[in-house]
Amino acid sequence: MTKTGKLVVLGSINVDHILNTTRFPRPGETVIGKQYQVAFGGKGANQAVAAGRSGAHITFIACVGEDAIGEGIRNQLIKDRIDTVAVETVTGTTTGVALIFVNGEGENAIGIHAGANAALTSERVNRHQQIIAGASALLMQLESPLDSVLTAARIAHQHQTQVILNPAPATQLSDELLSLVDMITPNETEAEILTGIAVTSEVDAARAAAVLHDKGIGTVLITLGSRGVWLSDHGQGQRIPGFRVDAVDTIAAGDTFNGALITALLEQQPMEHAVRFAHAAAAIAVTRAGAQPSVPWREEIDDFLQQQQE
Ligand code: ATP
Ligand code: RIB
């Protein structure tokens, strides 16, 4: 297979149950919700959808359960321009679930049942190795078994497929996995867990990025929420600010950023342009509720960027 700018995303699929409350419940307390939404989510699926809607040529490796919601999600992924040939239905499992509280400040707290996502084993990943080998880039997160993430990274590395890791949710990772990663995109919390450096300033971000460079990662992007991102390319660091918008909820802000960023990079856009494109996509996403319902299409991102110039 030739490398033709193709993207493969490997990761999770969840159905999100989102309850908006004034504040998070304390232990033993019941709070009454103001709004409830069931929507498609999962970090892998959100990033795949962000890439599909922003124009990438993308194949998704993932698992759904043997249930109606899994079928519904698969159909939606197809509408989002994603090749679902490697989205497997796993017999005897249910599709992954995320229970999400969103408080009055737009912050969220999430609990997850992995369901079919736990069945995305190394054995399954190996079955899809031709897809990884033929892609220009592989984008992953950490809602899939860690062994499988490592297996996919090894296959990619062996075939000169760029490995991009969004290390979310936060966890410590082996040096072997980090050494196979070409680009990493932690938020501030994830950067701290990976490096031991609390990221509260640009100096901290530069120090955390240096630790990740020392592990063998060439490009580090530490996302800083509304402040944008710290980009460190082989030690050359700078903050690239995001766009000012009225945020409703930030669910899938990071996912949208990742999917849009890789799409732009695969179009050969220079890194700073690609980051700006990703900031625009994520800024639109935070003005809308939910995960995948909030992810913008290419035309919306282009219009948003155009308006910034007027
Ligand atoms: P989440 O877990 O909420 O999806 P994250 O913690 O992975 O997000 P963040 O660093 O919060 O990632 O945000 C990722 C990107 O989303 C930022 O770099 C920025 O482009 C955009 N973003 C996040 N919050 C805002 C905001 N309030 N206003 C504008 N853009 C935002
Ligand atoms: O990053 C947001 C996602 O995290 C949600 O869609 C939810 O499914 C959890 O996986």
Side-chain angles (χ1 to χ4, degrees):
M1 256 192 269
T2 51
K3 307 258 180 194
T4 52
K6 287 184 189 163
L7 171 65
V8 54
V9 175
L10 181 147
S12 60
I13 294 178
N14 294 331
V15 56
D16 293 349
H17 294 259
I18 306 168
L19 187 66
N20 290 80
T21 55
T22 309
R23 57 181 177 75
F24 296 132
R26 284 187 278 263
E29 187 189 22
T30 300
V31 293
I32 307 292
K34 294 197 297 183
Q35 200 184 318
Y36 171 67
Q37 184 191 10
V38 180
F40 298 149
K43 292 187 189 305
N46 298 344
Q47 295 184 17
V49 166
R53 290 188 192 166
S54 59
H57 185 166
I58 172 198
T59 303
F60 188 26
I61 301 175
C63 292
V64 289
E66 203 182 17
D67 47 22
I69 199 92
E71 207 41 48
I73 289 173
R74 181 195 294 280
N75 291 334
Q76 181 58 46
L77 292 171
I78 293 167
K79 289 184 193 149
D80 288 326
R81 306 183 59 260
I82 295 163
D83 184 340
T84 58
V85 68
V87 176
E88 296 188 31
T89 302
V90 183
T91 313
T93 68
T94 53
T95 299
V97 173
L99 303 179
I100 307 181
F101 282 101
V102 178
N103 72 9
E105 277 75 58
E107 297 168 320
N108 58 63
I110 306 182
I112 283 184
H113 169 62
N117 295 311
L120 185 56
T121 56
S122 286
E123 195 188 338
R124 268 185 217 278
V125 172
N126 276 320
R127 273 193 243 148
H128 299 301
Q129 65 171 295
Q130 286 310 314
I131 296 173
I132 298 172
S136 297
L138 166 69
L139 171 62
M140 298 187 285
Q141 325 72 35
L142 301 174
E143 282 181 352
S144 305
L146 266 184
D147 275 0
S148 309
V149 172
L150 180 60
T151 299
R154 283 187 186 134
I155 296 169
H157 191 71
Q158 210 181 335
H159 293 89
Q160 292 82 49
T161 300
Q162 294 280 301
V163 178
I164 301 102
L165 180 66
N166 174 231
T171 189
Q172 289 182 343
L173 296 173
S174 67
D175 283 350
E176 184 193 357
L177 175 58
L178 293 174
S179 74
L180 296 170
V181 172
D182 298 289
M183 184 187 302
I184 195 162
T185 60
N187 67 12
E188 290 150 297
T189 312
E190 292 143 11
E192 178 175 353
I193 302 238
L194 290 175
T195 66
I197 295 167
V199 179
T200 57
S201 67
E202 292 183 12
V203 173
D204 296 334
R207 286 174 53 226
V211 172
L212 293 166
H213 288 315
D214 283 347
K215 302 276 182 193
I217 304 172
T219 308
V220 177
L221 292 110
I222 302 177
T223 61
L224 308 169
S226 60
R227 283 173 295 120
V229 70
W230 180 261
L231 163 65
S232 182
D233 205 353
H234 297 87
Q236 288 290 328
Q238 61 170 314
R239 184 173 68 90
I240 304 183
F243 293 102
R244 207 176 273 273
V245 289
D246 288 328
V248 171
D249 82 46
T250 64
I251 299 169
D255 296 334
T256 304
F257 179 90
N258 277 276
L261 175 76
I262 307 312
T263 302
L265 290 174
L266 288 173
E267 290 173 1
Q268 310 297 330
Q269 291 192 35
M271 177 60 91
E272 288 168 36
H273 284 220
V275 169
R276 205 174 135 76
F277 180 81
H279 276 329
I284 297 170
V286 303
T287 63
R288 301 172 179 169
Q292 287 166 41
S294 75
V295 175
W297 287 84
R298 177 61 174 253
E299 206 182 331
E300 298 174 283
I301 307 169
D302 289 341
D303 285 351
F304 181 96
L305 284 168
Q306 180 70 37
Q307 279 163 25
Q308 302 303 312
Q309 285 165 359
E310 286 166 0

PDB file of all heavy atoms in Angstrom, residues 60-82:
ATOM      1  N   PHE A  60     -11.331   4.013  10.763  1.00  0.00           N
ATOM      2  CA  PHE A  60     -11.412   3.939  12.221  1.00  0.00           C
ATOM      3  C   PHE A  60     -11.326   2.473  12.657  1.00  0.00           C
ATOM      4  O   PHE A  60     -12.050   1.629  12.141  1.00  0.00           O
ATOM      5  CB  PHE A  60     -12.747   4.559  12.648  1.00  0.00           C
ATOM      6  CG  PHE A  60     -12.955   4.743  14.131  1.00  0.00           C
ATOM      7  CD1 PHE A  60     -11.892   4.892  15.018  1.00  0.00           C
ATOM      8  CD2 PHE A  60     -14.247   4.804  14.644  1.00  0.00           C
ATOM      9  CE1 PHE A  60     -12.110   5.076  16.372  1.00  0.00           C
ATOM     10  CE2 PHE A  60     -14.476   4.997  15.999  1.00  0.00           C
ATOM     11  CZ  PHE A  60     -13.399   5.130  16.858  1.00  0.00           C
ATOM     12  N   ILE A  61     -10.435   2.197  13.612  1.00  0.00           N
ATOM     13  CA  ILE A  61     -10.344   0.848  14.198  1.00  0.00           C
ATOM     14  C   ILE A  61     -10.955   0.926  15.592  1.00  0.00           C
ATOM     15  O   ILE A  61     -10.437   1.662  16.452  1.00  0.00           O
ATOM     16  CB  ILE A  61      -8.878   0.369  14.275  1.00  0.00           C
ATOM     17  CG1 ILE A  61      -8.241   0.350  12.888  1.00  0.00           C
ATOM     18  CG2 ILE A  61      -8.801  -1.006  14.927  1.00  0.00           C
ATOM     19  CD1 ILE A  61      -6.749  -0.008  12.872  1.00  0.00           C
ATOM     20  N   ALA A  62     -12.040   0.185  15.823  1.00  0.00           N
ATOM     21  CA  ALA A  62     -12.756   0.300  17.104  1.00  0.00           C
ATOM     22  C   ALA A  62     -13.716  -0.875  17.254  1.00  0.00           C
ATOM     23  O   ALA A  62     -13.847  -1.695  16.340  1.00  0.00           O
ATOM     24  CB  ALA A  62     -13.533   1.616  17.133  1.00  0.00           C
ATOM     25  N   CYS A  63     -14.359  -0.942  18.413  1.00  0.00           N
ATOM     26  CA  CYS A  63     -15.340  -2.001  18.672  1.00  0.00           C
ATOM     27  C   CYS A  63     -16.637  -1.419  19.226  1.00  0.00           C
ATOM     28  O   CYS A  63     -16.595  -0.526  20.082  1.00  0.00           O
ATOM     29  CB  CYS A  63     -14.807  -2.984  19.719  1.00  0.00           C
ATOM     30  SG  CYS A  63     -13.408  -3.970  19.140  1.00  0.00           S
ATOM     31  N   VAL A  64     -17.754  -1.957  18.756  1.00  0.00           N
ATOM     32  CA  VAL A  64     -19.057  -1.649  19.369  1.00  0.00           C
ATOM     33  C   VAL A  64     -19.662  -2.938  19.889  1.00  0.00           C
ATOM     34  O   VAL A  64     -19.237  -4.034  19.512  1.00  0.00           O
ATOM     35  CB  VAL A  64     -20.046  -0.987  18.376  1.00  0.00           C
ATOM     36  CG1 VAL A  64     -19.636   0.424  18.047  1.00  0.00           C
ATOM     37  CG2 VAL A  64     -20.231  -1.823  17.120  1.00  0.00           C
ATOM     38  N   GLY A  65     -20.658  -2.781  20.754  1.00  0.00           N
ATOM     39  CA  GLY A  65     -21.341  -3.953  21.298  1.00  0.00           C
ATOM     40  C   GLY A  65     -22.404  -4.454  20.333  1.00  0.00           C
ATOM     41  O   GLY A  65     -22.694  -3.832  19.304  1.00  0.00           O
ATOM     42  N   GLU A  66     -22.985  -5.615  20.750  1.00  0.00           N
ATOM     43  CA  GLU A  66     -24.015  -6.240  19.922  1.00  0.00           C
ATOM     44  C   GLU A  66     -25.362  -5.640  20.317  1.00  0.00           C
ATOM     45  O   GLU A  66     -26.195  -6.319  20.904  1.00  0.00           O
ATOM     46  CB  GLU A  66     -23.975  -7.743  20.268  1.00  0.00           C
ATOM     47  CG  GLU A  66     -24.514  -8.664  19.261  1.00  0.00           C
ATOM     48  CD  GLU A  66     -24.442 -10.105  19.793  1.00  0.00           C
ATOM     49  OE1 GLU A  66     -24.285 -10.319  21.021  1.00  0.00           O
ATOM     50  OE2 GLU A  66     -24.574 -11.010  18.962  1.00  0.00           O
ATOM     51  N   ASP A  67     -25.530  -4.354  20.091  1.00  0.00           N
ATOM     52  CA  ASP A  67     -26.764  -3.693  20.532  1.00  0.00           C
ATOM     53  C   ASP A  67     -27.173  -2.616  19.529  1.00  0.00           C
ATOM     54  O   ASP A  67     -26.400  -2.261  18.641  1.00  0.00           O
ATOM     55  CB  ASP A  67     -26.604  -3.104  21.957  1.00  0.00           C
ATOM     56  CG  ASP A  67     -25.303  -2.317  22.123  1.00  0.00           C
ATOM     57  OD1 ASP A  67     -24.731  -1.869  21.106  1.00  0.00           O
ATOM     58  OD2 ASP A  67     -24.843  -2.141  23.272  1.00  0.00           O
ATOM     59  N   ALA A  68     -28.382  -2.132  19.695  1.00  0.00           N
ATOM     60  CA  ALA A  68     -28.922  -1.167  18.728  1.00  0.00           C
ATOM     61  C   ALA A  68     -28.091   0.116  18.695  1.00  0.00           C
ATOM     62  O   ALA A  68     -27.875   0.716  17.634  1.00  0.00           O
ATOM     63  CB  ALA A  68     -30.372  -0.848  19.080  1.00  0.00           C
ATOM     64  N   ILE A  69     -27.580   0.514  19.854  1.00  0.00           N
ATOM     65  CA  ILE A  69     -26.823   1.766  19.912  1.00  0.00           C
ATOM     66  C   ILE A  69     -25.529   1.637  19.095  1.00  0.00           C
ATOM     67  O   ILE A  69     -25.120   2.556  18.399  1.00  0.00           O
ATOM     68  CB  ILE A  69     -26.566   2.196  21.385  1.00  0.00           C
ATOM     69  CG1 ILE A  69     -26.211   3.662  21.457  1.00  0.00           C
ATOM     70  CG2 ILE A  69     -25.532   1.377  22.088  1.00  0.00           C
ATOM     71  CD1 ILE A  69     -27.382   4.553  21.682  1.00  0.00           C
ATOM     72  N   GLY A  70     -24.934   0.438  19.158  1.00  0.00           N
ATOM     73  CA  GLY A  70     -23.710   0.182  18.381  1.00  0.00           C
ATOM     74  C   GLY A  70     -23.987   0.323  16.895  1.00  0.00           C
ATOM     75  O   GLY A  70     -23.199   0.915  16.150  1.00  0.00           O
ATOM     76  N   GLU A  71     -25.124  -0.212  16.457  1.00  0.00           N
ATOM     77  CA  GLU A  71     -25.507  -0.115  15.049  1.00  0.00           C
ATOM     78  C   GLU A  71     -25.756   1.344  14.668  1.00  0.00           C
ATOM     79  O   GLU A  71     -25.343   1.809  13.617  1.00  0.00           O
ATOM     80  CB  GLU A  71     -26.782  -0.959  14.840  1.00  0.00           C
ATOM     81  CG  GLU A  71     -26.968  -1.509  13.440  1.00  0.00           C
ATOM     82  CD  GLU A  71     -25.690  -2.028  12.791  1.00  0.00           C
ATOM     83  OE1 GLU A  71     -24.932  -2.796  13.425  1.00  0.00           O
ATOM     84  OE2 GLU A  71     -25.434  -1.626  11.637  1.00  0.00           O
ATOM     85  N   GLY A  72     -26.412   2.067  15.587  1.00  0.00           N
ATOM     86  CA  GLY A  72     -26.696   3.486  15.340  1.00  0.00           C
ATOM     87  C   GLY A  72     -25.409   4.288  15.206  1.00  0.00           C
ATOM     88  O   GLY A  72     -25.281   5.151  14.323  1.00  0.00           O
ATOM     89  N   ILE A  73     -24.460   3.995  16.064  1.00  0.00           N
ATOM     90  CA  ILE A  73     -23.178   4.719  16.027  1.00  0.00           C
ATOM     91  C   ILE A  73     -22.445   4.423  14.715  1.00  0.00           C
ATOM     92  O   ILE A  73     -21.929   5.318  14.046  1.00  0.00           O
ATOM     93  CB  ILE A  73     -22.310   4.357  17.259  1.00  0.00           C
ATOM     94  CG1 ILE A  73     -22.925   4.973  18.518  1.00  0.00           C
ATOM     95  CG2 ILE A  73     -20.869   4.813  17.064  1.00  0.00           C
ATOM     96  CD1 ILE A  73     -22.272   4.578  19.818  1.00  0.00           C
ATOM     97  N   ARG A  74     -22.440   3.149  14.325  1.00  0.00           N
ATOM     98  CA  ARG A  74     -21.757   2.781  13.068  1.00  0.00           C
ATOM     99  C   ARG A  74     -22.354   3.563  11.883  1.00  0.00           C
ATOM    100  O   ARG A  74     -21.634   4.109  11.052  1.00  0.00           O
ATOM    101  CB  ARG A  74     -21.900   1.276  12.838  1.00  0.00           C
ATOM    102  CG  ARG A  74     -21.210   0.787  11.580  1.00  0.00           C
ATOM    103  CD  ARG A  74     -21.685  -0.588  11.242  1.00  0.00           C
ATOM    104  NE  ARG A  74     -21.275  -1.564  12.252  1.00  0.00           N
ATOM    105  CZ  ARG A  74     -20.056  -2.098  12.307  1.00  0.00           C
ATOM    106  NH1 ARG A  74     -19.143  -1.735  11.426  1.00  0.00           N
ATOM    107  NH2 ARG A  74     -19.744  -2.983  13.229  1.00  0.00           N
ATOM    108  N   ASN A  75     -23.683   3.631  11.844  1.00  0.00           N
ATOM    109  CA  ASN A  75     -24.338   4.359  10.737  1.00  0.00           C
ATOM    110  C   ASN A  75     -23.978   5.837  10.756  1.00  0.00           C
ATOM    111  O   ASN A  75     -23.759   6.454   9.713  1.00  0.00           O
ATOM    112  CB  ASN A  75     -25.862   4.190  10.815  1.00  0.00           C
ATOM    113  CG  ASN A  75     -26.256   2.758  10.503  1.00  0.00           C
ATOM    114  OD1 ASN A  75     -25.528   2.063   9.804  1.00  0.00           O
ATOM    115  ND2 ASN A  75     -27.379   2.318  11.032  1.00  0.00           N
ATOM    116  N   GLN A  76     -23.882   6.405  11.960  1.00  0.00           N
ATOM    117  CA  GLN A  76     -23.525   7.817  12.065  1.00  0.00           C
ATOM    118  C   GLN A  76     -22.079   8.041  11.605  1.00  0.00           C
ATOM    119  O   GLN A  76     -21.775   9.022  10.921  1.00  0.00           O
ATOM    120  CB  GLN A  76     -23.716   8.322  13.505  1.00  0.00           C
ATOM    121  CG  GLN A  76     -23.400   9.790  13.694  1.00  0.00           C
ATOM    122  CD  GLN A  76     -24.236  10.703  12.804  1.00  0.00           C
ATOM    123  OE1 GLN A  76     -25.449  10.533  12.697  1.00  0.00           O
ATOM    124  NE2 GLN A  76     -23.588  11.662  12.133  1.00  0.00           N
ATOM    125  N   LEU A  77     -21.187   7.116  11.961  1.00  0.00           N
ATOM    126  CA  LEU A  77     -19.777   7.250  11.560  1.00  0.00           C
ATOM    127  C   LEU A  77     -19.669   7.283  10.032  1.00  0.00           C
ATOM    128  O   LEU A  77     -18.879   8.051   9.469  1.00  0.00           O
ATOM    129  CB  LEU A  77     -18.940   6.091  12.123  1.00  0.00           C
ATOM    130  CG  LEU A  77     -18.759   6.056  13.647  1.00  0.00           C
ATOM    131  CD1 LEU A  77     -18.099   4.748  14.076  1.00  0.00           C
ATOM    132  CD2 LEU A  77     -17.935   7.241  14.136  1.00  0.00           C
ATOM    133  N   ILE A  78     -20.475   6.470   9.377  1.00  0.00           N
ATOM    134  CA  ILE A  78     -20.448   6.453   7.894  1.00  0.00           C
ATOM    135  C   ILE A  78     -20.885   7.818   7.368  1.00  0.00           C
ATOM    136  O   ILE A  78     -20.256   8.382   6.463  1.00  0.00           O
ATOM    137  CB  ILE A  78     -21.346   5.312   7.361  1.00  0.00           C
ATOM    138  CG1 ILE A  78     -20.739   3.949   7.750  1.00  0.00           C
ATOM    139  CG2 ILE A  78     -21.518   5.414   5.837  1.00  0.00           C
ATOM    140  CD1 ILE A  78     -21.653   2.756   7.571  1.00  0.00           C
ATOM    141  N   LYS A  79     -21.942   8.385   7.981  1.00  0.00           N
ATOM    142  CA  LYS A  79     -22.395   9.725   7.542  1.00  0.00           C
ATOM    143  C   LYS A  79     -21.312  10.772   7.788  1.00  0.00           C
ATOM    144  O   LYS A  79     -21.267  11.804   7.131  1.00  0.00           O
ATOM    145  CB  LYS A  79     -23.658  10.132   8.304  1.00  0.00           C
ATOM    146  CG  LYS A  79     -24.883   9.346   7.892  1.00  0.00           C
ATOM    147  CD  LYS A  79     -26.112   9.879   8.608  1.00  0.00           C
ATOM    148  CE  LYS A  79     -27.261   8.917   8.458  1.00  0.00           C
ATOM    149  NZ  LYS A  79     -28.178   8.916   9.586  1.00  0.00           N
ATOM    150  N   ASP A  80     -20.445  10.511   8.748  1.00  0.00           N
ATOM    151  CA  ASP A  80     -19.363  11.447   9.059  1.00  0.00           C
ATOM    152  C   ASP A  80     -18.108  11.201   8.211  1.00  0.00           C
ATOM    153  O   ASP A  80     -17.015  11.646   8.581  1.00  0.00           O
ATOM    154  CB  ASP A  80     -19.041  11.392  10.556  1.00  0.00           C
ATOM    155  CG  ASP A  80     -20.130  12.045  11.378  1.00  0.00           C
ATOM    156  OD1 ASP A  80     -20.727  13.024  10.890  1.00  0.00           O
ATOM    157  OD2 ASP A  80     -20.412  11.577  12.497  1.00  0.00           O
ATOM    158  N   ARG A  81     -18.264  10.457   7.109  1.00  0.00           N
ATOM    159  CA  ARG A  81     -17.205  10.254   6.109  1.00  0.00           C
ATOM    160  C   ARG A  81     -16.060   9.373   6.625  1.00  0.00           C
ATOM    161  O   ARG A  81     -14.911   9.577   6.284  1.00  0.00           O
ATOM    162  CB  ARG A  81     -16.632  11.599   5.604  1.00  0.00           C
ATOM    163  CG  ARG A  81     -17.682  12.571   5.058  1.00  0.00           C
ATOM    164  CD  ARG A  81     -17.056  13.837   4.523  1.00  0.00           C
ATOM    165  NE  ARG A  81     -16.105  13.603   3.458  1.00  0.00           N
ATOM    166  CZ  ARG A  81     -14.782  13.587   3.619  1.00  0.00           C
ATOM    167  NH1 ARG A  81     -14.248  13.789   4.809  1.00  0.00           N
ATOM    168  NH2 ARG A  81     -13.998  13.384   2.607  1.00  0.00           N
ATOM    169  N   ILE A  82     -16.427   8.418   7.491  1.00  0.00           N
ATOM    170  CA  ILE A  82     -15.397   7.535   8.064  1.00  0.00           C
ATOM    171  C   ILE A  82     -15.546   6.131   7.475  1.00  0.00           C
ATOM    172  O   ILE A  82     -16.668   5.611   7.394  1.00  0.00           O
ATOM    173  CB  ILE A  82     -15.568   7.489   9.600  1.00  0.00           C
ATOM    174  CG1 ILE A  82     -15.283   8.873  10.178  1.00  0.00           C
ATOM    175  CG2 ILE A  82     -14.684   6.422  10.228  1.00  0.00           C
ATOM    176  CD1 ILE A  82     -15.790   9.063  11.583  1.00  0.00           C
TER     177      ILE A  82
END
